[in-house]
Amino acid sequence: MTASLLVERWCAAGFLVFGLSHMVQAGKWVALFQPLRERETAGLLLGLFYLPLGLAIILLHPAWTWSPAVIVTFTGWALTAKSLVYLLLPGALQSMFRRCELKARAFRIAGAAMILLGAVLAWECC
């Protein structure tokens, strides 16, 4: 199995599990992020989490092909870009929090989108 295929399967499983969690435990996700609204360092914390994931995906799956697998490459770049914003401009997260309310409905919608992406990837790579 190639590294690229392994990353595709890893992302498919991750999208499915996190998506289901967002759908089933939406209130718990709101509770998890609520204290981050108050912390000036929350952006740094999330950036530390996202950067290794994004870089691993970029390095192991650099394919820009017109297939569902491009979801994986795009995800890697999006995570890396997000982490750079949070690490270099940690106040950006607080700015986003001021514009958006944390609601369970938003987590359920995001969860549904993740489940859809995970299902497409699983169908393509498994």
Side-chain angles (χ1 to χ4, degrees), residues 7-98:
V7 172
E8 288 175 21
R9 289 180 175 178
W10 178 67
C11 284
F15 275 129
L16 290 169
V17 171
F18 279 108
L20 285 169
S21 178
H22 276 56
M23 295 279 294
V24 175
Q25 299 295 336
K28 302 274 190 214
W29 281 97
V30 170
L32 175 72
F33 277 90
Q34 198 63 41
L36 295 179
R37 293 177 72 101
E38 319 305 322
R39 295 187 60 153
E40 288 182 22
T41 57
L44 295 173
L45 181 66
L46 291 180
L48 286 172
F49 177 73
Y50 291 135
L51 184 63
L53 294 172
L55 289 175
I57 293 170
I58 288 171
L59 294 172
L60 296 170
H61 195 278
W64 286 102
T65 60
W66 287 108
S67 73
V70 76
I71 295 168
V72 175
T73 305
F74 180 79
T75 298
W77 282 101
L79 286 170
T80 301
K82 185 177 186 175
S83 68
L84 289 176
V85 169
Y86 288 165
L87 290 170
L88 299 176
L89 304 165
L93 182 62
Q94 263 53 44
S95 176
M96 191 243 349
F97 278 146
R98 279 191 294 277

Coordinates of all heavy atoms in Angstrom, one line a residue, residues 7-98:
V7 N -2.9 7.6 3.4 CA -3.4 8.9 3.9 C -4.9 9.1 3.5 O -5.7 9.6 4.2 CB -2.5 10.1 3.3 CG1 -3.1 11.4 3.6 CG2 -1.1 10.0 3.9
E8 N -5.2 8.7 2.3 CA -6.6 8.8 1.8 C -7.5 8.0 2.7 O -8.6 8.4 3.1 CB -6.7 8.2 0.4 CG -6.2 9.2 -0.6 CD -6.2 8.6 -2.1 OE1 -7.0 7.7 -2.3 OE2 -5.4 9.1 -2.9
R9 N -7.1 6.8 3.1 CA -7.9 5.9 4.0 C -8.0 6.5 5.4 O -9.0 6.5 6.0 CB -7.4 4.5 4.0 CG -7.6 3.8 2.8 CD -7.0 2.4 2.8 NE -7.4 1.6 1.6 CZ -7.0 0.4 1.3 NH1 -6.2 -0.2 2.2 NH2 -7.3 -0.2 0.2
W10 N -6.9 7.1 5.9 CA -6.8 7.7 7.2 C -7.8 8.9 7.2 O -8.5 9.1 8.2 CB -5.4 8.1 7.4 CG -5.2 8.9 8.7 CD1 -5.3 8.4 10.0 CD2 -4.7 10.2 8.8 NE1 -5.0 9.3 10.9 CE2 -4.6 10.5 10.2 CE3 -4.4 11.2 7.9 CZ2 -4.2 11.7 10.7 CZ3 -4.0 12.4 8.4 CH2 -3.9 12.7 9.8
C11 N -7.8 9.7 6.1 CA -8.7 10.9 6.1 C -10.1 10.4 6.0 O -11.0 11.0 6.6 CB -8.3 11.8 4.9 SG -6.8 12.8 5.2
A12 N -10.4 9.4 5.2 CA -11.8 8.9 5.1 C -12.3 8.5 6.4 O -13.4 8.9 6.8 CB -11.9 7.7 4.1
A13 N -11.5 7.7 7.2 CA -11.9 7.3 8.5 C -12.1 8.4 9.4 O -13.0 8.5 10.2 CB -10.9 6.3 9.0
G14 N -11.1 9.4 9.4 CA -11.2 10.6 10.2 C -12.4 11.4 10.0 O -13.1 11.8 10.9
F15 N -12.7 11.7 8.7 CA -13.9 12.4 8.3 C -15.2 11.7 8.9 O -16.1 12.4 9.4 CB -14.1 12.6 6.8 CG -13.3 13.8 6.3 CD1 -12.5 13.6 5.2 CD2 -13.5 15.1 6.8 CE1 -11.8 14.7 4.7 CE2 -12.8 16.1 6.3 CZ -11.9 16.0 5.2
L16 N -15.2 10.4 8.7 CA -16.4 9.7 9.1 C -16.6 9.7 10.7 O -17.7 10.0 11.2 CB -16.4 8.2 8.6 CG -16.6 8.0 7.1 CD1 -16.2 6.6 6.7 CD2 -18.0 8.4 6.7
V17 N -15.5 9.4 11.4 CA -15.6 9.4 12.9 C -15.9 10.8 13.4 O -16.7 11.0 14.3 CB -14.3 8.8 13.5 CG1 -14.2 9.0 15.0 CG2 -14.1 7.4 13.1
F18 N -15.1 11.8 13.0 CA -15.3 13.2 13.5 C -16.7 13.7 13.0 O -17.4 14.4 13.8 CB -14.3 14.1 13.0 CG -13.0 14.1 13.8 CD1 -11.9 13.5 13.3 CD2 -13.0 14.6 15.1 CE1 -10.7 13.5 14.0 CE2 -11.8 14.5 15.9 CZ -10.7 14.0 15.3
G19 N -17.1 13.3 11.9 CA -18.5 13.8 11.4 C -19.6 13.1 12.3 O -20.5 13.8 12.7
L20 N -19.5 11.9 12.5 CA -20.5 11.2 13.4 C -20.4 11.8 14.8 O -21.5 12.0 15.4 CB -20.2 9.7 13.5 CG -20.6 8.9 12.2 CD1 -20.0 7.5 12.3 CD2 -22.1 8.9 12.1
S21 N -19.2 12.1 15.3 CA -19.1 12.7 16.6 C -19.8 14.1 16.7 O -20.5 14.4 17.6 CB -17.6 12.8 17.0 OG -17.5 13.5 18.3
H22 N -19.5 14.9 15.6 CA -20.2 16.2 15.5 C -21.7 16.1 15.5 O -22.4 16.9 16.1 CB -19.7 17.0 14.3 CG -18.4 17.7 14.5 ND1 -17.2 17.1 14.9 CD2 -18.1 19.0 14.3 CE1 -16.3 18.0 15.0 NE2 -16.8 19.1 14.7
M23 N -22.2 15.1 14.8 CA -23.7 14.9 14.7 C -24.3 14.4 16.0 O -25.3 15.0 16.5 CB -24.0 13.9 13.6 CG -23.6 14.3 12.2 SD -24.8 15.4 11.4 CE -26.2 14.3 11.2
V24 N -23.6 13.4 16.6 CA -24.2 12.8 17.8 C -23.9 13.6 19.1 O -24.7 13.6 20.0 CB -23.7 11.3 17.9 CG1 -24.1 10.7 19.2 CG2 -24.1 10.5 16.7
Q25 N -22.7 14.2 19.2 CA -22.3 14.9 20.4 C -22.1 16.4 20.2 O -21.2 17.0 20.7 CB -21.0 14.3 20.9 CG -21.0 12.8 21.2 CD -22.0 12.6 22.4 OE1 -22.2 13.4 23.2 NE2 -22.5 11.4 22.5
A26 N -23.0 17.0 19.4 CA -22.9 18.4 19.0 C -22.8 19.3 20.3 O -22.0 20.2 20.3 CB -24.1 18.8 18.1
G27 N -23.6 19.0 21.3 CA -23.6 19.8 22.5 C -22.2 19.8 23.2 O -21.7 20.7 23.8
K28 N -21.6 18.6 23.2 CA -20.3 18.4 23.8 C -19.2 19.2 23.0 O -18.3 19.7 23.6 CB -19.9 16.9 23.9 CG -20.9 16.1 24.6 CD -20.6 16.1 26.1 CE -21.5 15.0 26.7 NZ -21.9 15.3 28.0
W29 N -19.3 19.3 21.7 CA -18.4 20.0 20.9 C -18.5 21.5 21.2 O -17.5 22.3 21.3 CB -18.6 19.8 19.4 CG -18.0 18.5 19.0 CD1 -18.6 17.3 18.9 CD2 -16.6 18.3 18.7 NE1 -17.6 16.3 18.5 CE2 -16.4 16.9 18.3 CE3 -15.5 19.1 18.6 CZ2 -15.2 16.4 18.0 CZ3 -14.2 18.6 18.3 CH2 -14.1 17.2 18.0
V30 N -19.8 22.0 21.4 CA -20.0 23.4 21.8 C -19.3 23.6 23.2 O -18.6 24.6 23.3 CB -21.5 23.7 21.9 CG1 -21.7 25.1 22.5 CG2 -22.1 23.7 20.5
A31 N -19.5 22.7 24.1 CA -18.9 22.9 25.4 C -17.4 22.8 25.4 O -16.7 23.5 26.1 CB -19.4 21.7 26.4
L32 N -16.8 22.1 24.5 CA -15.4 22.0 24.3 C -14.8 23.3 23.8 O -13.8 23.8 24.3 CB -15.0 20.9 23.3 CG -13.5 20.8 23.0 CD1 -12.7 20.2 24.1 CD2 -13.3 20.0 21.7
F33 N -15.5 24.0 22.9 CA -15.0 25.2 22.3 C -15.3 26.4 23.1 O -14.7 27.5 22.9 CB -15.4 25.4 20.8 CG -14.6 24.6 19.9 CD1 -14.9 23.3 19.6 CD2 -13.5 25.2 19.3 CE1 -14.1 22.6 18.7 CE2 -12.7 24.5 18.4 CZ -13.0 23.2 18.1
Q34 N -16.3 26.3 24.0 CA -16.8 27.5 24.7 C -15.7 28.2 25.5 O -15.5 29.4 25.5 CB -18.0 27.1 25.6 CG -18.8 28.3 26.1 CD -19.5 29.0 25.0 OE1 -20.0 28.5 24.1 NE2 -19.4 30.4 25.1
P35 N -14.9 27.4 26.3 CA -13.8 28.1 27.1 C -12.7 28.7 26.2 O -12.0 29.6 26.6 CB -13.2 26.9 27.9 CG -14.2 25.8 27.9 CD -15.0 26.0 26.6
L36 N -12.6 28.2 24.9 CA -11.6 28.8 24.0 C -11.9 30.2 23.6 O -11.0 31.0 23.3 CB -11.4 27.9 22.8 CG -10.8 26.5 23.0 CD1 -10.8 25.7 21.7 CD2 -9.5 26.6 23.7
R37 N -13.2 30.5 23.7 CA -13.6 31.9 23.4 C -13.0 32.9 24.3 O -12.8 34.1 24.0 CB -15.2 32.0 23.5 CG -15.9 31.2 22.5 CD -17.4 31.3 22.8 NE -17.9 32.7 22.4 CZ -18.5 32.9 21.3 NH1 -18.8 32.0 20.4 NH2 -18.9 34.2 21.0
E38 N -12.7 32.5 25.6 CA -12.1 33.4 26.6 C -10.6 33.5 26.6 O -10.1 34.3 27.3 CB -12.6 32.9 28.0 CG -14.1 32.5 28.1 CD -15.1 33.5 27.6 OE1 -14.8 34.7 27.8 OE2 -16.1 33.1 26.9
R39 N -10.0 32.6 25.9 CA -8.5 32.5 25.9 C -7.8 33.2 24.8 O -8.1 32.8 23.6 CB -8.1 31.0 26.0 CG -8.5 30.3 27.2 CD -7.9 28.9 27.2 NE -6.5 29.1 27.2 CZ -5.7 28.2 27.8 NH1 -6.2 27.1 28.3 NH2 -4.4 28.3 27.7
E40 N -6.9 34.1 25.0 CA -6.2 34.7 24.0 C -5.2 33.8 23.3 O -4.9 34.0 22.1 CB -5.3 35.9 24.6 CG -6.1 37.1 25.0 CD -5.3 38.2 25.5 OE1 -4.1 38.2 25.2 OE2 -5.8 39.0 26.3
T41 N -4.9 32.7 23.9 CA -3.9 31.7 23.4 C -4.6 30.6 22.7 O -3.9 29.6 22.2 CB -3.0 31.2 24.5 OG1 -3.9 30.6 25.5 CG2 -2.2 32.2 25.1
A42 N -5.9 30.6 22.5 CA -6.6 29.5 21.9 C -6.2 29.3 20.5 O -6.0 28.1 20.0 CB -8.1 29.8 21.9
G43 N -5.9 30.4 19.7 CA -5.4 30.2 18.4 C -4.1 29.4 18.3 O -3.8 28.6 17.4
L44 N -3.2 29.7 19.3 CA -1.9 29.0 19.3 C -2.1 27.5 19.6 O -1.5 26.6 19.0 CB -1.0 29.6 20.4 CG -0.5 31.0 20.2 CD1 0.2 31.5 21.4 CD2 0.4 31.1 19.0
L45 N -3.1 27.2 20.5 CA -3.4 25.8 20.8 C -3.9 25.1 19.6 O -3.4 24.0 19.3 CB -4.4 25.8 22.0 CG -4.8 24.4 22.4 CD1 -3.6 23.7 23.1 CD2 -6.0 24.5 23.4
L46 N -4.8 25.6 18.9 CA -5.4 25.0 17.7 C -4.4 24.9 16.6 O -4.3 23.9 15.9 CB -6.6 25.7 17.2 CG -7.9 25.6 18.2 CD1 -9.0 26.3 17.6 CD2 -8.2 24.1 18.4
G47 N -3.5 25.9 16.4 CA -2.5 25.9 15.4 C -1.5 24.8 15.7 O -1.0 24.1 14.7
L48 N -1.1 24.5 16.9 CA -0.2 23.4 17.3 C -0.8 22.1 16.9 O -0.1 21.2 16.6 CB 0.1 23.5 18.8 CG 1.0 24.6 19.3 CD1 1.1 24.6 20.8 CD2 2.4 24.3 18.7
F49 N -2.1 22.0 17.0 CA -2.8 20.7 16.7 C -2.9 20.6 15.1 O -2.7 19.5 14.6 CB -4.2 20.8 17.3 CG -5.0 19.6 17.0 CD1 -4.8 18.3 17.5 CD2 -6.1 19.7 16.1 CE1 -5.5 17.2 17.2 CE2 -6.9 18.6 15.7 CZ -6.6 17.3 16.3
Y50 N -3.3 21.6 14.4 CA -3.6 21.5 13.0 C -2.3 21.4 12.1 O -2.3 20.7 11.1 CB -4.4 22.7 12.5 CG -5.8 22.8 13.0 CD1 -6.3 23.9 13.5 CD2 -6.6 21.6 13.0 CE1 -7.7 24.0 13.9 CE2 -7.9 21.7 13.4 CZ -8.4 22.9 13.9 OH -9.7 22.9 14.3
L51 N -1.2 22.1 12.5 CA 0.0 22.1 11.7 C 0.6 20.8 11.4 O 0.8 20.5 10.2 CB 1.0 23.1 12.3 CG 2.3 23.3 11.4 CD1 1.9 24.0 10.1 CD2 3.3 24.1 12.1
P52 N 0.8 19.9 12.4 CA 1.4 18.6 12.0 C 0.5 17.8 11.1 O 1.0 17.1 10.2 CB 1.6 17.9 13.4 CG 1.5 19.0 14.4 CD 0.7 20.1 13.8
L53 N -0.8 17.8 11.4 CA -1.8 17.1 10.5 C -1.7 17.6 9.1 O -1.6 16.8 8.1 CB -3.2 17.2 11.1 CG -3.5 16.6 12.4 CD1 -4.8 17.0 12.9 CD2 -3.3 15.1 12.3
G54 N -1.8 18.9 8.9 CA -1.8 19.5 7.6 C -0.5 19.2 6.8 O -0.5 18.8 5.7
L55 N 0.7 19.3 7.5 CA 1.9 19.1 6.9 C 2.1 17.6 6.5 O 2.6 17.3 5.4 CB 3.1 19.5 7.8 CG 3.3 21.0 7.9 CD1 4.4 21.3 8.9 CD2 3.5 21.7 6.6
A56 N 1.7 16.7 7.4 CA 1.8 15.3 7.1 C 1.0 14.9 5.8 O 1.4 14.2 4.9 CB 1.3 14.4 8.3
I57 N -0.2 15.5 5.7 CA -1.0 15.2 4.5 C -0.4 15.8 3.3 O -0.3 15.1 2.3 CB -2.5 15.8 4.7 CG1 -3.2 15.0 5.8 CG2 -3.3 15.7 3.4 CD1 -4.5 15.6 6.2
I58 N 0.1 17.0 3.4 CA 0.8 17.7 2.2 C 2.0 16.8 1.7 O 2.1 16.6 0.6 CB 1.2 19.1 2.6 CG1 0.0 20.0 2.6 CG2 2.2 19.6 1.5 CD1 0.3 21.4 3.2
L59 N 2.8 16.4 2.7 CA 4.0 15.7 2.3 C 3.7 14.3 1.8 O 4.4 13.8 0.9 CB 4.9 15.6 3.5 CG 5.5 17.0 4.0 CD1 6.3 16.8 5.3 CD2 6.4 17.5 2.9
L60 N 2.7 13.6 2.3 CA 2.4 12.3 1.9 C 1.4 12.1 0.8 O 1.2 11.0 0.2 CB 1.9 11.5 3.1 CG 3.0 11.3 4.2 CD1 2.4 10.7 5.5 CD2 4.2 10.5 3.8
H61 N 0.7 13.2 0.5 CA -0.4 13.2 -0.5 C -0.4 14.5 -1.3 O -1.3 15.3 -1.3 CB -1.7 13.0 0.2 CG -2.8 12.5 -0.8 ND1 -3.5 13.4 -1.6 CD2 -3.3 11.3 -1.1 CE1 -4.4 12.8 -2.3 NE2 -4.3 11.5 -2.0
P62 N 0.6 14.6 -2.2 CA 0.8 15.9 -2.9 C 0.0 15.9 -4.3 O 0.4 16.6 -5.2 CB 2.3 16.0 -3.1 CG 2.7 14.6 -3.3 CD 1.8 13.8 -2.3
A63 N -1.0 15.1 -4.4 CA -1.6 14.9 -5.7 C -2.8 15.9 -5.9 O -3.7 16.0 -5.1 CB -2.2 13.5 -5.8
W64 N -2.7 16.6 -7.0 CA -3.8 17.5 -7.4 C -4.4 16.9 -8.7 O -4.2 17.4 -9.8 CB -3.3 18.9 -7.7 CG -2.9 19.7 -6.5 CD1 -1.7 19.9 -6.0 CD2 -3.8 20.3 -5.6 NE1 -1.7 20.6 -4.9 CE2 -3.1 20.9 -4.6 CE3 -5.2 20.5 -5.5 CZ2 -3.6 21.7 -3.5 CZ3 -5.8 21.2 -4.5 CH2 -5.0 21.8 -3.5
T65 N -5.2 15.8 -8.5 CA -5.8 15.2 -9.6 C -7.3 15.4 -9.6 O -7.9 15.7 -8.5 CB -5.6 13.7 -9.6 OG1 -6.1 13.2 -8.3 CG2 -4.1 13.3 -9.6
W66 N -8.0 15.4 -10.7 CA -9.4 15.5 -10.7 C -10.1 14.2 -10.4 O -10.6 13.5 -11.2 CB -9.9 16.1 -12.1 CG -9.5 17.5 -12.3 CD1 -8.5 18.0 -13.1 CD2 -10.0 18.6 -11.6 NE1 -8.4 19.3 -13.0 CE2 -9.4 19.8 -12.0 CE3 -11.0 18.8 -10.6 CZ2 -9.6 21.0 -11.6 CZ3 -11.3 20.1 -10.1 CH2 -10.6 21.2 -10.6
S67 N -10.1 13.9 -9.1 CA -10.8 12.8 -8.6 C -11.1 13.1 -7.1 O -10.7 14.1 -6.6 CB -9.8 11.5 -8.6 OG -8.8 11.7 -7.6
P68 N -11.9 12.3 -6.5 CA -12.3 12.5 -5.1 C -11.1 12.6 -4.2 O -11.1 13.3 -3.1 CB -13.2 11.4 -4.7 CG -13.8 11.0 -6.0 CD -12.7 11.2 -7.0
A69 N -9.9 12.1 -4.6 CA -8.7 12.1 -3.7 C -8.2 13.5 -3.6 O -7.5 13.8 -2.6 CB -7.7 11.2 -4.3
V70 N -8.6 14.5 -4.4 CA -8.2 15.8 -4.3 C -8.7 16.4 -3.0 O -8.1 17.4 -2.5 CB -8.6 16.7 -5.5 CG1 -10.0 17.0 -5.5 CG2 -7.7 17.9 -5.6
I71 N -9.8 15.9 -2.4 CA -10.3 16.3 -1.1 C -9.2 16.2 -0.1 O -9.1 17.1 0.8 CB -11.5 15.4 -0.7 CG1 -12.7 15.7 -1.7 CG2 -11.9 15.7 0.7 CD1 -13.8 14.6 -1.5
V72 N -8.4 15.1 -0.1 CA -7.4 14.9 0.8 C -6.3 16.0 0.7 O -5.9 16.6 1.7 CB -6.7 13.5 0.7 CG1 -5.6 13.3 1.6 CG2 -7.8 12.4 0.9
T73 N -5.8 16.2 -0.5 CA -4.8 17.2 -0.7 C -5.3 18.6 -0.3 O -4.6 19.4 0.4 CB -4.4 17.3 -2.2 OG1 -4.0 15.9 -2.6 CG2 -3.2 18.2 -2.5
F74 N -6.5 19.0 -0.7 CA -7.1 20.2 -0.3 C -7.2 20.3 1.2 O -6.9 21.4 1.8 CB -8.5 20.4 -0.9 CG -9.1 21.7 -0.6 CD1 -8.7 22.9 -1.2 CD2 -10.1 21.8 0.4 CE1 -9.3 24.1 -0.8 CE2 -10.6 23.0 0.8 CZ -10.2 24.2 0.2
T75 N -7.6 19.3 1.9 CA -7.7 19.3 3.4 C -6.3 19.5 4.0 O -6.2 20.3 4.9 CB -8.2 17.9 3.9 OG1 -9.6 17.7 3.3 CG2 -8.3 17.8 5.4
G76 N -5.3 18.9 3.5 CA -3.9 19.2 4.0 C -3.5 20.6 3.9 O -3.0 21.2 4.8
W77 N -3.8 21.2 2.7 CA -3.4 22.6 2.5 C -4.3 23.5 3.4 O -3.8 24.5 3.9 CB -3.5 23.0 1.1 CG -2.3 22.5 0.3 CD1 -2.2 21.4 -0.5 CD2 -1.0 23.1 0.3 NE1 -0.9 21.3 -0.9 CE2 -0.2 22.3 -0.5 CE3 -0.4 24.2 1.0 CZ2 1.2 22.6 -0.7 CZ3 0.9 24.5 0.8 CH2 1.7 23.7 0.0
A78 N -5.6 23.2 3.5 CA -6.5 24.0 4.3 C -6.1 24.0 5.8 O -6.1 25.0 6.5 CB -7.9 23.5 4.2
L79 N -5.7 22.8 6.3 CA -5.3 22.7 7.7 C -4.0 23.4 7.9 O -3.8 24.1 9.0 CB -5.1 21.2 8.1 CG -6.3 20.4 8.3 CD1 -6.0 18.9 8.4 CD2 -7.1 20.9 9.5
T80 N -3.1 23.4 7.0 CA -1.8 24.1 7.1 C -2.0 25.6 7.1 O -1.5 26.3 7.9 CB -0.8 23.6 6.0 OG1 -0.6 22.2 6.1 CG2 0.5 24.4 6.1
A81 N -2.9 26.1 6.2 CA -3.1 27.5 6.1 C -3.8 28.0 7.4 O -3.5 29.0 7.9 CB -4.0 27.8 4.9
K82 N -4.8 27.2 7.8 CA -5.5 27.6 9.1 C -4.5 27.6 10.2 O -4.6 28.6 11.0 CB -6.6 26.5 9.3 CG -7.5 26.8 10.5 CD -8.5 25.7 10.5 CE -9.6 25.9 11.5 NZ -10.7 24.9 11.5
S83 N -3.7 26.7 10.3 CA -2.7 26.7 11.5 C -1.7 27.9 11.4 O -1.4 28.5 12.4 CB -1.9 25.4 11.5 OG -1.1 25.2 10.4
L84 N -1.3 28.2 10.2 CA -0.4 29.4 10.0 C -1.1 30.6 10.5 O -0.5 31.5 11.1 CB 0.1 29.5 8.6 CG 1.0 28.4 8.1 CD1 1.4 28.6 6.7 CD2 2.3 28.4 9.0
V85 N -2.4 30.8 10.1 CA -3.1 32.0 10.5 C -3.2 32.0 12.1 O -2.9 33.0 12.7 CB -4.5 32.0 9.9 CG1 -5.4 33.1 10.6 CG2 -4.5 32.3 8.4
Y86 N -3.6 30.9 12.7 CA -3.7 30.8 14.1 C -2.4 31.0 14.8 O -2.4 31.6 15.9 CB -4.4 29.5 14.6 CG -5.8 29.4 14.2 CD1 -6.5 28.2 14.3 CD2 -6.6 30.5 13.9 CE1 -7.8 28.0 14.0 CE2 -8.0 30.4 13.6 CZ -8.5 29.1 13.6 OH -9.9 29.0 13.4
L87 N -1.3 30.5 14.3 CA 0.0 30.6 14.9 C 0.6 32.0 14.8 O 1.2 32.5 15.7 CB 1.0 29.5 14.4 CG 0.7 28.1 14.8 CD1 1.5 27.1 14.0 CD2 0.8 27.9 16.3
L88 N 0.4 32.6 13.6 CA 1.0 33.9 13.4 C 0.0 35.1 13.9 O 0.5 36.1 14.2 CB 1.3 34.1 11.9 CG 2.3 33.1 11.4 CD1 2.5 33.2 9.9 CD2 3.7 33.2 12.1
L89 N -1.3 34.8 13.8 CA -2.3 35.8 14.2 C -3.3 35.1 15.2 O -4.4 34.9 14.9 CB -3.0 36.4 13.0 CG -2.2 37.0 11.9 CD1 -3.0 37.1 10.7 CD2 -1.6 38.3 12.4
P90 N -2.8 34.8 16.4 CA -3.7 34.0 17.3 C -5.0 34.8 17.6 O -6.0 34.1 17.9 CB -2.9 33.8 18.6 CG -1.7 34.6 18.4 CD -1.5 35.1 17.0
G91 N -5.1 36.1 17.5 CA -6.3 36.8 17.7 C -7.3 36.6 16.7 O -8.5 36.9 16.8
A92 N -6.9 36.0 15.5 CA -7.9 35.7 14.4 C -9.0 34.8 14.9 O -10.1 34.9 14.5 CB -7.2 35.1 13.2
L93 N -8.7 33.8 15.8 CA -9.7 32.9 16.3 C -10.7 33.7 17.1 O -11.9 33.4 17.0 CB -9.0 31.8 17.1 CG -10.0 30.7 17.7 CD1 -10.7 30.0 16.5 CD2 -9.2 29.8 18.5
Q94 N -10.2 34.6 18.0 CA -11.2 35.4 18.8 C -12.1 36.2 17.9 O -13.2 36.4 18.2 CB -10.4 36.3 19.8 CG -10.3 35.7 21.2 CD -9.7 34.3 21.2 OE1 -8.8 34.0 20.5 NE2 -10.3 33.4 22.0
S95 N -11.5 36.7 16.8 CA -12.3 37.5 15.9 C -13.4 36.7 15.3 O -14.5 37.2 15.1 CB -11.3 38.1 14.8 OG -12.1 38.8 13.9
M96 N -13.0 35.5 14.9 CA -14.0 34.6 14.3 C -15.1 34.2 15.4 O -16.3 34.2 15.0 CB -13.4 33.3 13.8 CG -14.3 32.4 13.0 SD -14.7 30.8 13.6 CE -13.7 30.4 14.9
F97 N -14.7 34.0 16.6 CA -15.6 33.7 17.7 C -16.6 34.9 17.9 O -17.8 34.6 18.2 CB -14.9 33.3 19.0 CG -14.4 31.9 19.1 CD1 -13.3 31.6 19.7 CD2 -15.1 30.9 18.5 CE1 -12.8 30.3 19.9 CE2 -14.7 29.6 18.6 CZ -13.5 29.3 19.3
R98 N -16.1 36.1 17.8 CA -17.0 37.2 18.0 C -18.1 37.3 16.9 O -19.2 37.8 17.1 CB -16.2 38.5 18.0 CG -15.5 38.8 19.3 CD -14.9 40.2 19.4 NE -13.8 40.5 18.5 CZ -12.6 40.1 18.7 NH1 -12.2 39.6 19.8 NH2 -11.6 40.4 17.8

